[in-house]
Amino acid sequence: MTAEQMYSPSAQAVINDYLDRLKYRLAGFPPADREDLLREIRCHIDEAFASESGGAEMERLLRILRRLGEPADVISERMSPAMVKLGKKKGLPFYILSGVLIVLFGLPLGAGVFGILIGVLAAIVGLLLAYFATAISLVVSGALGIIASFIVIIDPAIIERINLAFGGAENMHLIPSGIFFSPETEAFVCLILCIILAGLGALMLRGGRYLLRGIGYLFKISWEKVREIFSRNRQTRATGHSASIASACL
Amino acid sequence: MNQELENKVTQLRKGILELAIMGFLYHGSHYGYSLVKALTSGGDLSLKEGTIYPILQRMTREGMVSAKWVESPQGPPRKYYRLTELGRSTYATLVEEFHRLVKLVNEPSGSIPTEGEDSTGTELSVRKEES
């Protein structure tokens, strides 16, 4: 026995409308869960309709649907645990902070949240790039400096010769301070400075790992929030319960 | 009923509904509609019947219940739910806790002696002042 045979066209239209509204609200759910839930609710309506007599067809049907509850109420049962789960994930300070920031500034702005979110994320990516560029340039210039210093220590005359060959000034010093050490001493001081420089760059690169991980979390939580806001907006648009849902989330 | 009171009642009912669902599944497998019938047989729960499906779905994901679709002799296929081993042990723990809480709530406030003012303590401090 198929559902089409069981109901009159108008009753079928009412059922389809209910299921469509439910489907709309289930947009944020995993597809398998969504299909299963719709199928179960459809099955519930059929079962209830077949087993309960009394009253005209439409009257019975509307009673069954009323007992089922409005689609928004039906799925609200699944929303809160999803939010709870979001809060229970790894307690990285970064993660929590970004969540708080997005909740504080994102939610009241509604659609404007995307602009802010994209702006913030772009700024963070920019900072990240600048950070790594700095780290890499420190390492590279440090390494070059170390090599140059070594050359000077091994053969102090070489730099002078290279300089002159390229038309440079005579008596070029590595440390342009006006104090003239011997080229070897200058090279040695320079070597130490360059090692410090390169070490700083290396440390920055190492620290970048944690930074990357933190940013990864930030992106993840932003993505989840955006999805959540998307599905919430869809719900609220129909019912106008935005205030209560927003407060429930906070 | 005002909004706040309504929220409180809903919160209370939510947790107990889950326990009640587990209770019925503890004693046998059910499909959605039969579970609703069983839940409402004892009286009005003012239950929005549709809400049990998301709850069942969540419990399935938590591993508390298992579900499978079974062809029905009449009508559409039914999704039958049963309590898993994890669900059974969880249910036992929850029921124990529930009974403890019910006892706590039912206990008349007078039956447990409340800690009144300690008279000896007061006297002691008075004596101390005298000396």
Side-chain angles (χ1 to χ4, degrees):
Chain A
M1 175 166 57
T2 62
E4 282 74 20
Q5 289 166 328
M6 224 158 94
Y7 306 106
S8 71
S10 54
Q12 188 61 53
V14 170
I15 294 172
N16 289 344
D17 171 70
Y18 182 86
L19 292 174
D20 279 348
R21 281 186 294 138
L22 191 63
K23 196 173 180 176
Y24 185 62
R25 264 141 220 292
L26 289 171
F29 283 50
D33 281 10
R34 189 169 58 209
E35 285 311 311
D36 239 32
L37 206 67
L38 282 170
R39 205 171 148 199
E40 274 191 282
I41 300 273
R42 196 179 299 133
C43 168
H44 178 109
I45 296 169
D46 291 349
E47 294 269 357
F49 194 80
S51 67
E52 287 165 38
S53 51
E57 182 196 37
M58 197 57 85
E59 200 181 309
R60 271 158 72 196
L61 184 59
L62 289 178
R63 196 171 58 224
I64 289 164
L65 292 184
R66 207 176 309 126
R67 283 211 320 263
L68 261 175
E70 269 304 300
D73 297 330
V74 170
I75 69 140
S76 70
E77 209 50 59
R78 258 293 283 275
M79 299 309 279
S80 42
M83 286 169 189
V84 170
K85 222 181 95 199
L86 196 75
K88 261 196 292 197
K89 280 185 185 165
K90 303 191 180 65
L92 239 111
F94 220 98
Y95 191 82
I96 294 165
L97 179 73
S98 54
V100 168
L101 280 177
I102 290 164
V103 167
L104 280 183
F105 299 116
L107 277 183
L109 295 169
V113 70
F114 299 114
I116 290 180
L117 209 61
I118 288 166
V120 167
L121 292 182
I124 287 169
V125 169
L127 279 175
L128 203 67
L129 283 176
Y131 179 88
F132 279 105
T134 309
I136 289 169
S137 69
L138 277 179
V139 170
V140 169
S141 59
L144 284 177
I146 290 170
I147 292 168
S149 307
F150 263 120
I151 292 172
V152 172
I153 289 171
I154 293 164
D155 185 0
I158 213 164
I159 295 286
E160 208 83 341
R161 259 182 279 139
I162 290 169
N163 249 336
L164 288 173
F166 282 91
E170 235 173 302
N171 249 335
M172 244 274 290
H173 285 265
L174 285 167
I175 301 172
S177 60
I179 313 160
F180 296 106
F181 294 115
S182 70
E184 287 88 346
T185 323
E186 267 184 22
F188 189 71
V189 172
C190 198
L191 180 69
I192 289 171
L193 281 175
C194 289
I195 287 173
I196 291 170
L197 217 64
L200 218 79
L203 271 177
M204 271 179 86
L205 281 179
R206 257 185 83 86
R209 251 194 341 195
Y210 299 102
L211 199 68
L212 271 183
R213 209 177 297 163
I215 303 255
Y217 274 113
L218 186 72
F219 270 94
K220 220 166 90 187
I221 199 211
S222 307
W223 174 238
E224 270 181 71
K225 268 286 164 197
V226 167
R227 266 182 40 182
E228 213 181 286
I229 289 163
F230 244 123
S231 57
R232 194 180 301 122
N233 275 356
R234 277 188 194 178
Q235 283 162 42
T236 51
R237 225 176 295 146
T239 49
H241 281 164
S242 58
S244 67
I245 289 170
S247 65
C249 176
L250 286 171
Chain B
M1 231 190 303
N2 67 44
Q3 186 74 40
E4 207 169 315
L5 183 58
E6 208 171 305
N7 278 347
K8 278 192 192 303
V9 172
T10 310
Q11 279 308 111
L12 186 63
R13 196 178 280 144
K14 242 184 212 173
I16 291 172
L17 178 62
E18 204 167 317
L19 189 60
I21 290 173
M22 288 176 106
F24 280 107
L25 293 176
Y26 189 87
H27 298 291
S29 66
H30 275 280
Y31 58 99
Y33 185 67
S34 72
L35 192 58
V36 166
K37 284 280 118 194
L39 283 166
T40 51
S41 64
D44 183 28
L45 258 174
S46 47
L47 166 74
K48 288 287 174 214
E49 295 174 1
T51 57
I52 73 157
Y53 294 102
I55 294 176
L56 285 167
Q57 205 166 60
R58 176 160 47 81
M59 283 162 77
T60 309
R61 223 191 16 216
E62 289 167 353
M64 295 293 159
V65 301
S66 62
K68 67 165 183 255
W69 286 94
V70 176
E71 283 298 330
S72 145
Q74 76 269 12
R78 294 161 170 173
K79 195 177 183 185
Y80 275 90
Y81 292 92
R82 54 181 306 125
L83 221 53
T84 60
E85 274 313 307
L86 175 66
R88 297 185 96 77
S89 62
T90 307
Y91 175 70
T93 314
L94 288 178
V95 163
E96 206 174 292
E97 182 64 13
F98 179 72
H99 284 311
R100 206 179 63 78
L101 290 173
V102 166
K103 216 176 118 194
L104 191 72
V105 172
N106 283 343
E107 204 94 340
S109 52
S111 74
I112 300 169
T114 51
E115 265 189 57
E117 209 183 326
D118 194 345
S119 53
T120 50
T122 332
E123 262 178 52
L124 206 69
S125 73
V126 169
R127 213 178 295 153
K128 213 173 178 181
E129 262 175 330
E130 282 169 353
S131 64

